[in-house]
Amino acid sequence: MNEPREKYFSNLSDRERAIFEGGISMGALFHQFTGTPVSLETADGLESAISESIKLQPAIMDVEVHIDRDMIRKTAGEFGYVSLTGDMLSVRLTVEHGSERVTVRMEYLEELRYPLMYIED
Amino acid sequence: MNEPREKYFSNLSDRERAIFEGGISMGALFHQFTGTPVSLETADGLESAISESIKLQPAIMDVEVHIDRDMIRKTAGEFGYVSLTGDMLSVRLTVEHGSERVTVRMEYLEELRYPLMYIED
Amino acid sequence: MNEPREKYFSNLSDRERAIFEGGISMGALFHQFTGTPVSLETADGLESAISESIKLQPAIMDVEVHIDRDMIRKTAGEFGYVSLTGDMLSVRLTVEHGSERVTVRMEYLEELRYPLMYIED
Amino acid sequence: MNEPREKYFSNLSDRERAIFEGGISMGALFHQFTGTPVSLETADGLESAISESIKLQPAIMDVEVHIDRDMIRKTAGEFGYVSLTGDMLSVRLTVEHGSERVTVRMEYLEELRYPLMYIED
């Protein structure tokens, strides 16, 4: 770990670094891809493209993305597709730095009426 | 063409309608997907996902997207990927309405220093 | 109108050009700004910033943006803000090219369950 | 802190929580606003709108955003504006949770050719 960027992170533990990178990537995912047109036919391909692009980011080992097909079905308007929103998304990021690994989740929680991002144990 | 939305377009010729829908979809494509992390390995999949999502929009018959691999190579930073920008994108949309078909292009033009969107004959 | 870009538009009438530029800017507005966090307190400022940025685009003379405060109130979750969605937006673009002027509208239409973009006379 | 969401964060220290929320908001800022048309005239207003919207997010106390005017000047094409990119942005977020406060930075680093996000002491 003697890459030039590492000097910027000497004030973080491995666990803090994994939490930070996981937060960045979850915020990125939400704000990059919400708004994308999606239908029942294209949901598989969009899930893959989201996963592949977010896996490029630092410390991200794995990305599972699920787009809720029932919500597409229920909210699709006359044209058969919807704009992707946060409440259709369920995401799990596996993030590793040094010897530490954390799992970052996003899911829409009815009780909060909010797509919550949190660390899953 | 007796769908409810068509009454909103009675003031447009078929050609004007195709030009309008093509403009919307090109603006959508640019502003939805620029910023997406992309590498040499993920460019194919991202091109497909962009194409599939934009094909969902009204009147869009075909979408060809090309991401410039040389620009990825030249601008990739320490982490091996870049954020997609307009000057890496070359796009051709085939748009049809009624009996009219137009081709909408976007390409970065060095002479303008600008990713120009225009109608190709 | 002897700027270098104009040669790319010799195949469009003034009205077609205005329709094309209006479509681009409406697609851009929707896909750039949906997802933005917004509350009752920040809606004014966000409307202004959207308007100012879209007015920079070619041929756009005026941009009126309205974000539905009732929808913010009704959908705000525990944290007091929402992610901007297309059904909260009502937009009117005034677009001019040469001697032609068109008004491009976007509004959410309950009958279509869709934020429709169309040309208003 | 007996709000319903807090049970999701019982596995994080106050400092880890601040780091997580700061990461989310920095990723959000980058991916929401890159691509926005901006000129020398609209840069002030865009900085304010970005700041106001990101301050709505959990735990974010203050947001300073600076858009590099020299880069706008140098890269503006024929139309006098550019699409906002990460290398034009310098951002400082002040994040607080419980008794802990962290400062999250984003700046473009020439040595990395990358807009790095890190925690500043």
Side-chain angles (χ1 to χ4, degrees), chain A residues 30 32-40 42 46 67-68 71-73 75-77 79-89, chain B residues 28 32 53-54 56-58, chain C residues 27 30-32 34-35 83-87 89 106 108 113-117:
Chain A
F30 184 97
Q32 183 63 54
F33 293 104
T34 58
T36 304
V38 63
S39 72
L40 292 173
T42 68
L46 182 57
I67 299 171
D68 187 330
M71 285 199 60
I72 296 178
R73 224 172 261 118
T75 61
F79 298 99
Y81 73 95
V82 299
S83 285
L84 185 67
T85 55
D87 51 356
M88 294 177 198
L89 277 171
Chain B
Q32 183 62 54
S53 77
I54 298 299
L56 296 173
Q57 296 194 308
Chain C
F30 185 98
H31 289 273
Q32 182 63 52
T34 57
S83 285
L84 185 68
T85 55
D87 52 356
L89 276 171
M106 178 173 72
Y108 185 80
R113 301 172 64 193
Y114 192 82
L116 194 73
M117 301 177 186

Side-chain angles (χ1 to χ4, degrees), chain A residues 1 3-4 8 18 24 29 31 33-34 39 43-44 48 50-51 63-65 74 81 84-85 88 103 113 121:
Chain A
M1 288 289 175
E3 290 131 14
Y8 292 95
I24 290 170
L29 187 157
H31 289 272
F33 293 104
T34 58
S39 72
D44 277 359
S48 298
I50 293 173
S51 173
V63 179
E64 294 170 51
V65 180
K74 282 176 196 153
Y81 73 95
L84 185 67
T85 55
M88 294 177 198
T103 303
R113 301 172 62 194
D121 273 329

Side-chain angles (χ1 to χ4, degrees), chain B residues 1 14-15 96-102:
Chain B
M1 288 288 175
D14 283 352
R15 177 171 155 88
E96 275 185 25
H97 195 266
S99 59
E100 293 284 335
R101 170 189 291 222
V102 301

Side-chain angles (χ1 to χ4, degrees), chain A residues 21 23-35 50 53-54 56-58, chain B residues 30-38 81-84, chain C residues 31-37, chain D residues 23-36 50 54 57 84-86 89 91 106 114-115 117:
Chain A
E21 300 290 353
I24 290 170
S25 287
M26 198 61 101
L29 187 157
F30 184 97
H31 289 272
Q32 183 63 54
F33 293 104
T34 58
I50 293 173
S53 77
I54 298 299
L56 295 173
Q57 297 193 308
Chain B
F30 185 97
H31 289 272
Q32 183 62 54
F33 293 104
T34 57
T36 303
V38 63
Y81 73 95
V82 299
S83 285
L84 185 67
Chain C
H31 289 273
Q32 182 63 52
F33 293 104
T34 57
T36 304
Chain D
I24 290 170
S25 286
M26 198 61 102
L29 188 158
F30 185 97
H31 289 272
Q32 182 62 56
F33 293 105
T34 57
T36 304
I50 293 173
I54 298 299
Q57 296 193 308
L84 185 68
T85 54
L89 277 171
V91 182
M106 178 173 74
Y114 192 82
M117 302 178 186

Side-chain angles (χ1 to χ4, degrees), chain D residues 33-102:
Chain D
F33 293 105
T34 57
T36 304
V38 63
S39 71
L40 292 173
E41 286 70 34
T42 68
D44 276 359
L46 183 58
E47 288 171 349
S48 297
I50 293 173
S51 174
E52 291 304 306
S53 77
I54 298 299
K55 259 193 271 189
L56 296 173
Q57 296 193 308
I60 308 300
M61 297 295 118
D62 196 29
V63 179
E64 294 170 50
V65 180
H66 182 72
I67 300 170
D68 187 329
R69 269 67 170 173
D70 274 350
M71 285 200 60
I72 296 179
R73 222 173 262 118
K74 281 176 197 153
T75 61
E78 196 198 353
F79 298 99
Y81 72 95
V82 299
S83 286
L84 185 68
T85 54
D87 51 356
M88 296 178 197
L89 277 171
S90 170
V91 182
R92 177 175 280 113
L93 306 181
T94 306
V95 192
E96 275 184 25
H97 194 267
S99 59
E100 292 284 335
R101 169 189 290 222
V102 301

